[in-house]
Amino acid sequence: MEARIGLRNTKSLLFKGVITFLAFLITVPLIVILLFIIKQGITQVNWHFLTHVPAPVGEPGGGIANAFVGSFLMVIMAAVIAIPVGILAGIYLAENRKSKLAYYCGLCVDILQGVPSIVVGIVVYFWVVKPLGTFSAISGSVALSIMMLPIVIRSTEETLKLLPDSLKEAALSLGVPYHRVILKVVVPCGFSGIMSGVMLSVARVVGETAPLLFTAFGNPYLSTSVTKPMESLPHVIFTYATSPYDDWHNLAWGASFILLVFVLVLNIITKVTTRKWKVQL
């Protein structure tokens, strides 16, 4: 008996060691990528880099102000479109789990989540860009909002499913109308989980390049007109990284560092919020 127990303990320690090694192994590529981007990009970031537009080829200096402003505006507009629709859809799926419409809606959400981003860009090109007759920040925002929707919907749905039914039943027993129960009791209780999903969706789309190639297209000048082509950080990185000029390569590394920091901050905020409110996504 003691020999069997010793053998089991040995196997347990062996498997724990293998699992720990594999868990550490999958973090190595991430750490290497992060360190390399930080090393290449942090030296390019300064006030001039953040407040000026790119300089012509051959001239020193230049920055990414146009891309920074463009990404900010397009992500804000995409969030305005996707967040209300996604939260409402998530509430419906959580409250009507057994209906056929909820089943098919959930199936569509799962399929939409697996659609490649470049396909979304092509679809929005035919839906928005061609009817408007021009590339624009609006079309880019529509493409990003479509990509945000599945994450917002699923995070809202799964968060509300975690809440006990007694919360809703207690409010209904007091004579509170159903819509007020949802808006004043259920949603506020799951607010932190919903916001975590929103931040994850923003972090997901802020680095997307493919849909913006067909929609926002890019703009070398600083523009705040949402009906005109607009630059973005992912597009700047793609364009400058594939150019033959060293100065543009430096700008691409700096833009990559800024984008990396933004995504890391959003993910850290999401993790802190989730842990603080004990909402599991």
Side-chain angles (χ1 to χ4, degrees):
M1 182 62 69
E2 292 181 358
R4 289 184 178 180
I5 294 176
L7 181 60
R8 289 181 179 181
N9 290 335
T10 302
K11 288 182 178 179
S12 177
L13 291 175
L14 178 62
F15 280 108
K16 285 182 179 179
V18 172
I19 292 172
T20 303
F21 173 74
L22 293 177
F24 172 76
L25 190 63
I26 63 175
T27 63
V28 172
L30 175 62
I31 294 173
V32 172
I33 291 172
L34 291 179
L35 292 178
F36 189 76
I37 293 176
I38 292 172
K39 177 183 176 182
Q40 297 290 332
I42 196 170
T43 57
Q44 308 298 326
V45 178
N46 51 51
W47 184 248
H48 184 276
F49 179 79
L50 297 175
T51 57
H52 287 72
V53 297
V57 178
E59 293 188 11
I64 58 167
N66 57 336
F68 191 80
V69 173
S71 285
F72 179 78
L73 291 177
M74 283 190 283
V75 169
I76 290 296
M77 289 191 294
V80 170
I81 297 171
I83 292 174
V85 177
I87 292 177
L88 292 175
I91 293 173
Y92 175 81
L93 293 179
E95 292 295 315
N96 301 272
R97 306 174 192 179
K98 297 182 179 180
S99 67
K100 289 185 177 181
L101 180 59
Y103 170 78
Y104 289 112
C105 287
L107 180 62
C108 292
V109 170
D110 292 336
I111 295 173
L112 182 61
Q113 194 166 11
V115 174
S117 58
I118 193 169
V119 175
V120 175
I122 295 173
V123 170
V124 175
Y125 174 80
F126 286 100
W127 283 0
V128 182
V129 175
K130 291 198 70 176
L132 292 179
T134 180
F135 298 98
S136 64
I138 294 177
S139 56
S141 301
V142 172
L144 296 181
S145 66
I146 293 175
M147 298 185 63
M148 289 176 64
L149 274 176
I151 303 175
V152 177
I153 293 173
R154 280 304 182 194
S155 63
T156 302
E157 179 189 2
E158 296 302 324
T159 299
L160 297 185
K161 283 182 178 180
L162 293 174
L163 301 178
D165 294 334
S166 57
L167 286 173
K168 183 170 61 175
E169 293 170 356
L172 292 173
S173 66
L174 295 175
V176 182
Y178 179 76
H179 69 280
R180 291 184 65 85
V181 172
I182 298 298
L183 296 178
K184 299 294 185 179
V185 178
V186 177
V187 172
C189 288
F191 181 75
S192 61
I194 296 172
M195 286 304 300
S196 297
V198 169
M199 287 185 285
L200 284 174
S201 67
V202 172
R204 165 71 174 82
V205 302
V206 72
E208 284 294 337
T209 307
L212 300 181
L213 293 174
F214 299 92
T215 53
F217 191 68
N219 191 339
Y221 305 103
L222 181 60
S223 174
T224 56
S225 175
V226 297
T227 59
K228 300 296 182 180
M230 186 172 288
E231 191 58 272
S232 62
L233 286 173
H235 186 261
V236 161
I237 296 170
F238 170 77
T239 303
Y240 289 0
T242 55
S243 71
Y245 309 110
D246 291 336
D247 291 340
W248 282 15
H249 292 168
N250 294 333
L251 288 177
W253 283 118
S256 300
F257 176 75
I258 295 297
L259 189 61
L260 174 67
V261 170
F262 184 72
V263 173
L264 282 176
V265 169
L266 283 179
N267 279 277
I268 291 172
I269 293 174
T270 302
K271 294 297 182 181
V272 171
T273 304
T274 304
R275 288 186 178 181
K276 180 179 178 181
W277 295 95
K278 297 180 181 179
V279 177
Q280 301 295 327
L281 294 181

